[in-house]
Amino acid sequence: MSQINEFNINSNAGLAPLSSVDMSLQNLQKKTAQIRFSLDLANNNLSKYLTLRHVQDQNERLFYHYIRENIRDSLPYIYTPSVGDACQNYSYLNFSPRGLYLTYRDGQSVAEQVNQINQDIDIIVVTDGSRVLGLGDLGIGGMGISIGKLSLYTAVGGIPPERTLPVCIDVGTNNEALKNDPQYLGDKQARIEDDKFYRYLDEVMSALAARWPNAIIQFEDFSNNHAYPLLKKYQHQYRCFNDDIQGTATVAVASIKRALTKANKQAKNAKVFVVGGGSAGCGIADLINRSFGFEQGAVYLVDRDGVLFADDPLNEMQTPLARPTSERPVAGEPLALLEAVKHIQPDVIVGVTGVTGLFSEAVIRAMAEGTHMPVIMPLSNPVSACEVTPQQVFDWIGDQAIVMTGSPFAPIEFEGRSHVISQCNNVYVFPGIGLGAHVVNATTITDTMLQKAMDALASFECARNTDYEVLPAIESTLDISKAIAHAVAIQAIEEGASAEQNLTLEQLTQRIDKAFWNPNLDTFHA
């Protein structure tokens, strides 16, 4: 039996209550100064993560005030890369229980557990911890991802914290280190077989939807073999989407479009390599195909053996994205990454592999030789899983490329200029997607709604961007969330995927503004 029972959620949903001592806005600045002091004393990312988690447990309004005022500095500590360290060490961390753990082998009814929670919930983030970032199977450590994503839903998406619910499904682990760790609090048996897994997910989804029929459910960090089947099964049955597939695709494709514009290239003529044939890579390639209107351009999905062609062994996601067999240079022979870059000369290369250093010096030099100002996007998280670092790119080819990353990197100093590296972070899109779907009570989240979210980010005007910076400043994410919420909500109404059919644009704006929770307008508590 799993040891996680002691952390199972109770009727207060495990959210840390605010204390009863009122706190004025004047004192708020003193409290935020204390947080900064504590963070300065913390000597590593995990310590900074824990510092902020303790603030969150003690006083959520103070926590979110601090995050909104310091989003650029705090984002790396409440999410990537620090959350990866937290998930790896989750059973060793000391903080208040938060979230709902559902343990398969305990044999408890999911509906009975869910029905004990007496809060209204708008957004649910659920994971089974089977593929956490680029770190693999971390079991119940995946709860850190659900908690972190919902922190961002509140910080930049305006969802009140008490109306969010992080969920971790514990169906065992195949991580031998966790099985042998006496401190590990989850189920130490092997992950359950697929038939049991899918039946249990049916039970989970049915119970969550029955308890909160209007809640948006976001899937996070499910393994590649389960992520797409779950999305395909539930996409039109429940109000749900998969952030690893659809959120990553939305921000990545918007970023590519912005980068191509900076490089004075047209999307319809661009050749794009998406390296990584898993759920994230297939999601990115699919959205590119649907939104670029190719004339002379094309998208190429590249897996471990090279470019995927129609005569390769393919899974359900990869099949419609493979290139025609007639394009294979040598019949029956694989076209490996480096040779493919030299042969096809792509304008863009995106990495979602989790393979450190995959974009070698030879690959990067070949990109620069094949096209003017290539767009290089190593998106794997955390930093330790990055396909190439910005510094390496600058060392090898100077500033003759546009680099965007999945993890945060400091600006690169090159020939007397500071180059800001845009972080292609899902935080730009998923809070707005959830907010927009929520405010119009969307009955489903469609591909066209996500495409409108991508368009909203791709066209969002920046006030501060440098010549090199591609994405809007991270401080703009609150405004971006509202813009994406508008786009998603309008599309939901137009295609009949919303229970609201008679809202004017003015009414929609008012509804979004009203729904957008602001910690500064509420009574603060110490």
Side-chain angles (χ1 to χ4, degrees), residues 184-467:
Y184 180 62
L185 295 170
D187 183 350
K188 294 185 179 182
Q189 298 183 64
R191 287 184 175 270
I192 60 178
E193 300 87 352
D194 277 0
D195 58 339
K196 295 179 180 178
F197 174 83
Y198 286 115
R199 284 199 300 271
Y200 191 57
L201 263 292
D202 280 344
E203 182 183 352
V204 171
M205 293 298 290
S206 176
L208 293 175
R211 176 65 185 85
W212 299 290
N214 297 326
I216 307 299
I217 300 174
Q218 177 173 311
F219 293 107
E220 280 291 336
D221 288 359
F222 283 81
S223 57
N224 284 328
N225 60 313
H226 289 155
Y228 181 69
L230 289 174
L231 176 61
K232 185 176 180 181
K233 182 176 186 179
Y234 297 134
Q235 184 176 19
H236 301 297
Q237 186 178 356
Y238 299 106
R239 296 166 164 85
C240 68
F241 70 104
N242 184 301
D243 187 49
D244 301 303
I245 299 173
Q246 296 166 298
T248 298
T250 301
V251 70
V253 177
S255 300
I256 293 170
K257 293 187 80 169
R258 295 179 73 100
L260 288 171
T261 299
K262 278 191 173 290
N264 294 316
K265 298 179 181 181
Q266 293 182 307
K268 64 183 180 181
N269 297 325
K271 290 177 284 188
V272 183
F273 273 24
V274 180
V275 186
S279 56
C282 289
I284 293 169
D286 176 64
L287 184 55
I288 290 173
N289 265 339
R290 288 189 286 111
S291 60
F292 271 33
F294 283 129
E295 292 182 359
Q296 298 177 10
V299 62
Y300 298 80
L301 191 62
V302 185
D303 212 350
R304 65 185 64 199
D305 294 324
V307 176
L308 291 180
F309 294 97
D311 59 343
D312 285 320
L314 304 168
N315 63 34
E316 186 178 7
M317 288 189 72
Q318 295 167 344
T319 298
L321 300 168
R323 302 303 304 170
T325 304
S326 60
E327 293 184 7
R328 191 188 290 275
V330 180
E333 293 294 323
L335 182 58
L337 177 60
L338 178 58
E339 287 69 29
V341 170
K342 292 178 179 179
H343 177 71
I344 298 169
Q345 297 182 327
D347 300 282
V348 181
I349 187 168
V350 181
V352 282
T353 66
V355 179
T356 309
L358 179 65
F359 294 172
S360 65
E361 182 175 357
V363 168
I364 298 302
R365 288 189 180 279
M367 287 288 299
E369 291 169 4
T371 187
H372 169 68
M373 289 301 288
V375 178
I376 298 169
M377 298 173 59
L379 300 186
S380 292
N381 286 311
V383 173
S384 60
C386 198
E387 288 84 1
V388 67
T389 67
Q391 187 63 62
Q392 288 173 321
V393 174
F394 276 77
D395 287 344
W396 296 333
I397 62 173
D399 60 354
Q400 298 306 299
I402 296 174
V403 184
M404 290 179 286
T405 58
S407 294
F409 282 89
I412 300 296
E413 302 299 325
F414 183 80
E415 295 185 349
R417 295 183 62 192
S418 180
H419 296 270
V420 175
I421 305 299
S422 289
Q423 185 187 0
C424 190
N425 192 316
N426 289 22
V427 71
Y428 280 100
V429 296
F430 71 81
I433 293 169
L435 177 63
H438 162 64
V439 296
V440 294
N441 194 16
T443 55
T444 184
I445 298 176
T446 66
D447 289 339
T448 47
M449 290 162 64
L450 294 165
Q451 191 161 340
K452 292 297 182 181
M454 183 273 292
D455 291 338
L457 176 57
S459 62
F460 189 87
E461 293 188 6
C462 308
R464 205 202 73 171
N465 277 39
T466 64
D467 291 340

Side-chain angles (χ1 to χ4, degrees), residues 108-168:
Q108 300 179 69
S109 163
V110 176
E112 289 180 1
Q113 296 176 75
V114 167
N115 289 336
Q116 293 177 24
I117 304 172
N118 59 10
Q119 292 174 238
D120 291 328
I121 299 296
D122 296 329
I123 305 286
I124 299 168
V125 174
V126 58
T127 185
D128 71 343
S130 55
R131 188 183 60 86
V132 176
L133 302 174
L135 302 170
D137 181 355
L138 298 184
I140 58 96
M143 178 58 93
I145 295 295
S146 294
I147 292 170
K149 288 284 185 178
L150 287 168
S151 296
L152 297 174
Y153 258 113
T154 299
V156 303
I159 304 297
E162 71 276 9
R163 299 183 71 92
T164 67
L165 178 64
V167 177
C168 184

